[in-house]
Every structure is written in structure tokens, then in C-alpha cells.
Amino acid sequence: MDAPLDELLDELGVELVDSTVTDRGFFGAFVEHRDGSRVLSMPPGRPAFERDTAARMLLAEGLGLDAPPVPAPLEVSRA
């Protein structure tokens, strides 16, 4: 999880796409499709640090990696 985000996404086989969700409280979504493909959808235009941090938290949660829990007031929901 220490690699640059682009390398990490490549290593994990996750495609990063821009989300159309504009809600300020939305940081992104990790989706694993039935065919096994993985997508990380994140809102564009956010500060680089915020985007990088949110991406790593979503990846860890979505892939069930050993990582600290998401800090409050953030929360991860599953659908």
C-alpha cells in the first residue's frame, strides 16, 4: 500500500475512473464486477492528498486488506 497510487492500482488490477457524483461528502466507490474486473470511481477535482488517501482507504476496505479502520466521521457502506 506504500507504492505510488498509479502503481498500486496497476498491481491490484483496479481501473480508476472519474465519478459523476458531485456531492461533497462522496469520496468514491470501489466496485468489483461479476466478471472480476475492479473499478475505483472517484470525483474529479479534489485535492491530490484527499484523493490519494480516500483511494487507499477504499481499496483496503474493498479488498479486505489489513488496514486501520476508516476514521470518523467517514464511513464505508456496502451495497
Side-chain angles (χ1 to χ4, degrees):
M1 291 297 282
D2 294 335
L5 186 57
D6 288 342
E7 289 178 25
L8 183 61
L9 292 168
D10 188 49
E11 181 180 315
L12 296 171
V14 177
E15 177 186 7
L16 179 63
V17 299
D18 285 340
S19 172
T20 58
V21 177
T22 58
D23 181 333
R24 187 70 189 139
F26 176 76
F27 290 91
F30 174 81
V31 179
E32 188 163 5
H33 296 283
R34 289 185 181 150
D35 66 3
S37 62
R38 298 170 172 163
V39 174
L40 183 61
S41 175
M42 301 189 72
R46 299 283 177 91
F49 179 77
E50 177 184 306
R51 188 172 170 100
D52 187 86
T53 302
R56 292 172 191 279
M57 286 190 293
L58 288 166
L59 289 169
E61 285 287 324
L63 295 170
L65 303 176
D66 187 25
V70 175
L74 300 176
E75 69 180 61
V76 173
S77 60
R78 297 180 188 275

